[in-house]
Amino acid sequence: MKNKINIQFACFSFKRPLLSRIIKNCITATLREEHITADCEINVLVTDDRGIHEVNLSCRDIDRPT
């Protein structure tokens, strides 16, 4: 199984390498436990309330963070 995991940080974090590793490990473990054998591309955005508010407003017409 070949998976591409893209992680984008929209907010500053000194822990970026650690968080990236944790997120990738969680995704890989979940795919394995769910017996997903198809190749996957997974995109993760790490952001703050202001950033998710902007995403919600532009993509979901929700005018608040979730």
Side-chain angles (χ1 to χ4, degrees):
M1 176 171 53
K2 182 178 178 186
N3 299 311
K4 183 174 182 181
I5 302 171
N6 303 306
I7 302 173
Q8 179 181 1
F9 285 80
C11 55
F12 179 76
S13 174
F14 285 113
K15 299 179 181 178
R16 186 178 291 195
L18 174 63
L19 291 173
S20 293
R21 196 165 47 252
I22 291 169
I23 291 167
K24 287 179 182 181
N25 287 342
C26 289
I27 291 170
T28 301
T30 300
L31 292 171
R32 185 174 49 249
E33 287 297 314
E34 293 296 323
H35 307 288
I36 305 298
T37 57
D39 292 347
C40 300
E41 181 172 348
I42 296 115
N43 298 299
V44 178
L45 172 64
V46 180
T47 189
D48 56 13
D49 277 349
R50 185 178 353 177
I52 199 63
H53 187 173
E54 291 174 12
V55 170
N56 284 341
L57 191 56
S58 67
C59 297
R60 302 175 65 207
D61 292 322
I62 296 173
D63 192 12
R64 63 182 168 82
T66 54

